[in-house]
Amino acid sequence: MAIRVMLVDDQVLLRTGFRMVLAAQPDMEVVAEAGDGAEAIEMLRSTAVDVVLMDVRMPRLDGVEATRRICAQQDPPKVLILTTFDLDEYAFSGLKAGASGFMLKDVPPAELLAAIRSVHSGDAVVAPSTTRRLLDRFSPMLPSGEKEPKNKHVGKLTEREREVMLLVAQGLSNGEIAARLVLSEATVKTHVGRILTKLNLRDRVQVVVLAYETGLVRAGGGAG
């Protein structure tokens, strides 16, 4: 079954370009297009969508608020934030709103397609190191380090799970974490899955955001 994609951007030319790239793929189908966040939310009421490519700067309702409303729905589609600049405060807000990641609008077609497939399969597409750079820049917007994490479920993590969480938040891949902790990559993947379940998070991008918000990791990527 083809991945159902919605394009949300106020620039018709950009939507046309993305649609042409996606239409050439046998496993993808553009099922809806919207010119702003409000129109996207309205269309989602009657259209089944798996992945939303969401612009941020749009009239009426911007992509951040649209993402927040979409992700608050029951069984929502995955959202990929599209941004013009690598370190954009809108991308940061989009991650906090529940997006599975963000991409640059000038991303090569092959990377865009790979990202859509990854998000559809449940993975986050933003490299944790990229997310960390974004959070480093905007860390003053976050609460200062706290001794007691806001997410009470953090206390339910085992010592090993907490260790893995900190390394995820510092931008390490599963393979790098496995090497650091002398574990198999499969074991690390299992730990990450349990962390997401216990903390009620959807992907490792949200692990990074939570780690910064709770003070477990501070600007610069070090543990708090």
Side-chain angles (χ1 to χ4, degrees):
M1 184 170 159
I3 301 172
R4 298 163 297 189
V5 181
M6 171 185 274
L7 305 176
V8 186
D9 197 302
D10 61 335
Q11 297 184 48
V12 177
L13 188 59
L14 273 175
R15 294 206 310 268
T16 300
F18 284 135
R19 184 173 67 248
M20 291 175 62
V21 171
L22 271 57
Q25 304 304 306
D27 62 337
M28 294 185 192
E29 178 185 6
V30 176
V31 296
E33 294 185 38
D36 61 58
E39 185 180 359
I41 291 172
E42 182 63 32
M43 295 185 75
L44 282 173
R45 291 173 180 159
S46 58
T47 306
V49 175
D50 299 311
V51 178
V52 178
L53 294 184
M54 180 76 74
D55 186 23
V56 285
R57 305 182 190 189
M58 297 180 291
R60 253 196 336 156
L61 187 68
D62 66 38
V64 174
E65 181 57 29
T67 296
R68 183 175 293 108
R69 296 184 190 182
I70 290 171
C71 292
Q73 297 174 1
Q74 186 172 7
D75 194 25
K78 301 291 186 179
V79 178
L80 274 178
I81 293 288
L82 296 175
T83 179
T84 305
F85 303 103
D86 193 0
L87 293 178
D88 189 324
E89 67 273 18
Y90 288 98
F92 168 79
S93 299
L95 294 178
K96 287 179 63 63
S100 294
F102 73 93
M103 305 189 69
L104 300 182
K105 284 189 176 181
D106 61 356
V107 62
E111 290 185 24
L112 173 66
L113 297 171
I116 292 173
R117 293 185 181 105
S118 294
V119 162
H120 181 249
S121 69
D123 293 330
V125 302
V126 180
S129 58
T130 303
T131 308
R132 190 180 70 233
R133 281 194 298 111
L134 183 74
L135 290 172
D136 283 348
R137 175 171 175 180
F138 296 106
S139 58
M141 299 165 57
L142 297 171
S144 56
E146 301 170 4
K147 298 299 182 183
E148 293 298 324
K150 286 191 232 176
N151 188 317
K152 62 181 182 297
H153 299 298
V154 172
K156 296 181 180 180
L157 298 181
T158 65
E159 185 175 346
R160 176 64 86 187
E161 288 167 351
R162 187 182 176 95
E163 200 171 9
V164 170
M165 176 186 175
L166 288 174
L167 293 176
V168 167
Q170 291 175 48
L172 276 66
S173 66
N174 285 354
E176 291 169 333
I177 294 172
R180 178 79 63 88
L181 300 180
V182 195
L183 299 170
S184 71
E185 195 164 339
T187 298
V188 173
K189 187 173 182 179
T190 297
H191 282 312
V192 172
R194 288 174 179 165
I195 291 167
L196 296 178
T197 299
K198 287 185 178 181
L199 301 183
N200 194 28
L201 302 175
R202 287 188 302 170
D203 53 47
R204 60 198 300 143
V205 171
Q206 293 190 343
V207 172
V208 180
V209 173
L210 176 65
Y212 272 75
E213 287 186 318
T214 59
L216 293 175
V217 171
R218 294 173 185 159

